[in-house]
Structure formats: structure tokens, C-alpha cells
Amino acid sequence: METLRVFLVLVFVIGSTVTAFGNTVSDESVEGIVGSDLTLKCPFTLPDGDTLYKNSWTIEMNGSPSNVYTYYANPDSGPQRALRHLVNRSEAVCSDTECRLTIQKLLTTDAGTYKCRVEFEQSTSQDKVFILTVYSPPEEFKLKGHKSNYHKGDNLSVECFAKESEPNTELTWKINGQRVTDPYEVDTNYGDGRTTSRLQLNDINKVTSQFGKKIECIAKSPGNAHQDSKYFLLTVGDNSGSVRHLLPAMSLALLLVSTHLL
């Protein structure tokens, strides 16, 4: 009997998954958006001949788990209730294959490591861990520094910034739908809730194969749950064309002067 007890607590660690004979814990990173609803899905395998007893949810606080929701398959076994920060804005439900915890109107303080535990009447419980990040979109996101018109040979320097986001927004650039990956053309800096990125093209001819080019800055959350973009159309003229446009006006001015002198 002592040998059996030792055997049951033996744990194998494989990558980021921990397996303990019938009890599997697999970390899953989840990202939500402030103000939106989020559902954590906790699948399980119901053992043959067994029934679901309880589903509990905990969050890691100061190095130890704290219960935030308890669900009993049989209401006579205990109350279904939310605790701590999930009171009045969460609900847990279970089927024969999955338990779900829905958190309404996410707050940045909801972020943390959650554990779902599914307990059965007879068999070993099954766990799943969620690492929840809550993203607060930037209060301000815009482009600046670009001009309405450019000419061949001009330099392009435009800045994109997103501020007051948590965690920091990730910024990338696209030209005509193609991502700019040259590190010498893009300079991105991260600060406290602020991200700035500058696109620098020393020769506008790189993007002037045809009239009108789309320069786009994409802002996204680290987990891709949120994305936004700002763009402008690059209008490129010909330097010689500018001179040609001046010639008719100059001819008219000379004609008027000549007529006046006569």
C-alpha cells in the first residue's frame, strides 16, 4: 500500500504540460479586452461509469490559490457562487465534456493565473491552467509627420504612436499590404504605456512604382485579441511635372505684361 501511494504522486514533466496519472494540467495563454466578456473553456474527459461532482475555479494570489467560483453538478451538494472580484459578473456552467467560466466586463485587475478543477464522484480530478492577460486599448492612436504630397527623390519620415495602453501596444508597418521588416527603415520604442514607431524611407522611389501608395500602421495587442490601423495614401508627383505646370502660368503672365506695354 505504501508503494502504491508513492506511485500515484509520481509526476512527469514534458515541456509545458504536467501529467500525473489521470490528472493533466496544461497552461493556456488567454487574452481579453477591457470591458468585454470572456469565456474560459475547460474541457475534461468523463470517466466511464462516473459522474461530475464539482467544478471550482481559483486564481493565484500571493503565491497561493484563492477560490473565485464554485459550481456543483447537484445543487443539493452546495451553492453555486462567485467570490472575490468575480461577484455579480461571472457564471460557470458544465456539460458532460466541458466546464466554462464567463467573466463579464473584464477589468485589468482580472488578469492572473486561473486554475479550473473538475472533480468526479469517484475518479481523480482533472485540472487546467489559464494565464489570463487583460489588454486595455490605447486612449490615443494616430499617425503624424506625413505630408499630403511627395515628389520622387523625397525622403519619407512618419511616426505612429499609441499611448495609455496596458500592456504596451505592438506597432507594425505595411506598404501596399506588405509588412516592412527592414530594421533600418523602422525604429520602434516602448515606454510606460506608450509605443512609438517611426517609418523612415530615404528614397521615396522604393514605394512609387505607381501613383498613390498606402502607408499603414497596425496597432495590436500582444495576444492579437485586439487590432486597429491607421493609414494614408502616398501621393507622389514628378518633379519635372511641377515645372510643366508652371509654364502655362508663366506664359500667361508674360502675355499680359506684353499687352500692357503695348
Side-chain angles (χ1 to χ4, degrees):
M1 182 60 70
E2 291 297 320
T3 302
L4 178 60
R5 288 178 180 169
V6 174
F7 181 72
L8 285 177
V9 297
L10 183 61
V11 175
F12 294 102
V13 179
I14 306 175
S16 61
T17 301
V18 179
T19 303
F21 296 101
N23 180 0
T24 301
V25 180
S26 181
D27 291 0
E28 178 180 338
S29 295
V30 180
E31 185 180 67
I33 307 299
V34 166
S36 64
D37 296 348
L38 177 76
T39 298
L40 301 177
K41 301 178 181 180
C42 181
F44 63 87
T45 301
L46 185 64
D48 293 339
D50 208 345
T51 56
L52 176 66
Y53 168 61
K54 184 175 78 170
N55 170 225
S56 60
W57 294 81
T58 59
I59 184 172
E60 195 79 13
M61 297 184 67
N62 299 321
S64 60
S66 296
N67 193 35
V68 292
Y69 207 104
T70 303
Y71 169 93
Y72 288 92
N74 184 351
D76 294 335
S77 300
Q80 177 174 323
R81 61 177 181 175
L83 301 170
R84 301 182 186 278
H85 61 290
L86 298 188
V87 173
N88 297 327
R89 58 186 187 92
S90 62
E91 182 182 20
V93 294
C94 292
S95 65
D96 290 337
T97 58
E98 183 180 69
C99 287
R100 297 186 177 193
L101 175 66
T102 299
I103 305 174
Q104 301 170 350
K105 298 181 180 179
L106 280 172
L107 305 172
T108 55
T109 51
D110 292 332
T113 300
Y114 290 77
K115 178 184 285 187
C116 165
R117 169 159 291 181
V118 180
E119 299 179 44
F120 308 98
E121 293 286 355
Q122 304 174 32
S123 309
T124 305
S125 61
Q126 298 176 21
D127 298 343
K128 185 174 179 63
V129 174
F130 300 87
I131 301 173
L132 173 61
T133 301
V134 180
Y135 174 73
S136 178
E139 293 184 6
E140 186 175 7
F141 168 48
K142 66 180 183 180
L143 292 169
K144 67 177 185 179
H146 57 285
K147 300 185 295 185
S148 57
N149 290 285
Y150 290 85
H151 295 94
K152 290 183 178 180
D154 285 352
N155 295 332
L156 172 71
S157 179
V158 59
E159 186 177 74
C160 178
F161 71 89
K163 65 179 183 179
E164 303 302 328
S165 66
E166 183 184 345
N168 280 53
T169 299
E170 295 182 0
L171 298 178
T172 55
W173 292 92
K174 285 185 178 181
I175 300 177
N176 296 337
Q178 299 295 316
R179 181 170 177 177
V180 181
T181 57
D182 189 341
Y184 297 102
E185 297 178 344
V186 176
D187 181 25
T188 303
N189 296 284
Y190 297 91
D192 185 13
R194 179 185 177 98
T195 306
T196 59
S197 183
R198 180 174 295 278
L199 176 66
Q200 182 78 38
L201 298 177
N202 293 327
D203 187 353
I204 206 70
N205 291 330
K206 288 188 176 183
V207 290
T208 57
S209 59
Q210 62 184 17
F211 181 82
K213 292 292 184 175
K214 185 177 181 180
I215 308 295
E216 184 178 18
C217 177
I218 295 93
K220 70 178 187 68
S221 60
N224 295 315
H226 178 272
Q227 182 169 305
D228 194 4
S229 67
K230 301 287 184 183
Y231 72 91
F232 69 97
L233 296 178
L234 185 64
T235 302
V236 181
D238 192 327
N239 287 328
S240 60
S242 300
V243 175
R244 286 198 300 270
H245 289 140
L246 289 174
L247 290 178
M250 292 174 63
S251 300
L252 178 59
L254 290 174
L255 177 62
L256 291 174
V257 170
S258 299
T259 303
H260 179 71
L261 292 175
L262 293 174

